[in-house]
Amino acid sequence: MSQDLVLQQRDGYLLHLTLNRPDKKNALTFEMYLALIEAMKQAEQDDGVRVLLLSGAGGSFTSGNDIAAFVAAMGQPEKARIPLSFLQTLAGFSKPIVAAVDGVAVGIGSSLLLHCDLVLASEEAIFQLPFTKLGLVPEGGTSLLLPQQLGHRLAFELLVEGDAIPAHRAAQLGLINTVLPQSQLLDSALRRAHALTRLAPEAVRQSKQMLKAANKPALDAVLVSEVEAFAARLSSPEAREAFQAFMEKRAPNF
Ligand code: COA
């Protein structure tokens, strides 16, 4: 079943992973995380894969962690480590990662993009890090990477106010590379991903590593400390109220 929720397609040196749960806006279940981790680990070892492309099916990238799955997993700390393992695998992936974002990229759907190397988005793409609205705290390295990239005030706006921003604003802030009409998104992402596969693979890998080296120790540490804080918040009364409100389709009352 996890195979269907994350589609894998090989095209030459490209591995294309598609999040495939469109009826739930591609919200990520633990099974989907495990499928993504497994695919990335295999791709890391496979010289036949030079570039990874990530996209979502059905007009959404992903609405982030599946809230119902998280509620069901409360009190199971080993489950909380699965998204951490996904983030560590993604952040440590040595080959280029291209993301094609259409529709919503919420929570980890936005934070995972900070670990991608090229991000292309459609004009319909919407980015949001609504952690505090859910009684949670930042994850995915955002508490380190966003203040570094944007300064404190813009990072505060995105991470603490947590409102959705459209694709053009994300491009203006330098969070993504390009905004395209929806009809051109996937072709354009495939073109750029294939172009990367034609570059000298070892030179590309080393270059990526050099770009990320200075930040690596701090990022490795913050991914863990954020998840610990996030996991503690999951069982807080604030988060419980926020999740309950989401499932009851009402506004939370903090
Ligand atoms: N977890 C679980 N289910 C989710 C989900 C999530 N993160 N995101 C969407 N869904 C489900 C909805 O409950 C709905 O299910 P239903 O059809 O059984 O009622 C379905 O996906 C479609 O979502 P809907 O809310 O109707 O679509 P929308 O276009 O009105 O809104 C979002 C899309 C993404 C803005 C909205 O669904 C949302 O805010 N989701 C929560 C995102 C979030 O907070 N993620 C971070 C979690 S840590």
Side-chain angles (χ1 to χ4, degrees):
M1 169 162 152
S2 53
Q3 204 71 357
D4 293 333
L5 296 175
V6 178
L7 303 176
Q8 294 197 37
Q9 213 176 338
R10 282 286 288 272
D11 184 3
Y13 286 114
L14 180 68
L15 174 64
H16 183 179
L17 299 180
T18 305
L19 306 173
N20 186 35
R21 202 181 167 220
D23 56 321
K24 296 289 179 187
K25 307 274 170 187
N26 301 322
L28 292 162
T29 61
F30 295 108
E31 291 75 13
M32 290 167 80
Y33 279 124
L34 291 172
L36 289 164
I37 293 166
E38 181 61 24
M40 283 190 286
K41 288 197 166 154
Q42 280 181 13
E44 189 67 75
Q45 301 303 321
D46 183 350
D47 288 341
V49 176
R50 294 185 179 177
V51 175
L52 182 64
L53 173 63
L54 277 180
S55 66
S60 306
F61 186 60
T62 165
S63 58
N65 290 317
D66 184 285
I67 291 177
F70 264 65
V71 169
M74 271 177 192
Q76 293 175 265
E78 71 286 357
K79 287 244 166 126
R81 299 200 74 77
I82 294 176
L84 172 62
S85 174
F86 164 73
L87 287 164
Q88 289 169 326
T89 310
L90 185 78
F93 195 71
S94 70
K95 306 170 189 186
I97 307 172
V98 179
V101 181
D102 190 20
V104 291
V106 185
I108 199 166
S110 273
S111 46
L112 74 80
L113 298 172
L114 298 173
H115 307 287
C116 297
D117 302 295
L118 285 177
V119 182
L120 286 70
S122 77
E123 286 160 342
E124 281 72 27
I126 286 175
F127 302 83
Q128 188 175 18
L129 295 160
F131 301 119
T132 58
K133 293 180 194 295
L134 293 165
L136 299 172
V137 289
E139 45 76 89
T142 49
S143 66
L144 174 74
L145 299 175
L146 280 181
Q148 270 180 354
Q149 292 176 20
L150 303 177
H152 174 76
R153 273 163 294 281
L154 284 170
F156 185 92
E157 187 180 325
L158 295 185
L159 285 173
V160 182
E161 284 193 315
D163 291 326
I165 62 166
H168 285 291
R169 175 120 200 272
Q172 194 186 35
L173 293 175
L175 293 173
I176 62 174
N177 294 83
T178 311
V179 184
L180 296 152
Q182 197 174 42
S183 60
Q184 295 171 22
L185 176 67
L186 204 53
D187 282 351
S188 200
L190 282 165
R191 212 169 25 251
R192 288 185 78 166
H194 278 299
L196 282 169
T197 67
R198 291 191 289 273
L199 295 173
E202 192 48 37
V204 169
R205 263 201 299 276
Q206 283 187 29
S207 302
K208 172 170 173 169
Q209 197 179 15
M210 287 162 75
L211 291 173
K212 300 188 84 176
N215 232 8
K216 189 174 182 327
L219 181 60
D220 288 348
V222 90
L223 285 175
V224 174
S225 62
E226 282 176 344
V227 160
E228 281 166 1
F230 191 91
R233 292 298 307 167
L234 278 176
S235 53
S236 67
E238 290 177 351
R240 282 174 193 273
E241 163 58 11
F243 291 167
Q244 195 65 33
F246 175 76
M247 290 189 290
E248 290 169 8
K249 298 188 187 290
R250 61 171 172 82
N253 180 11
F254 293 123

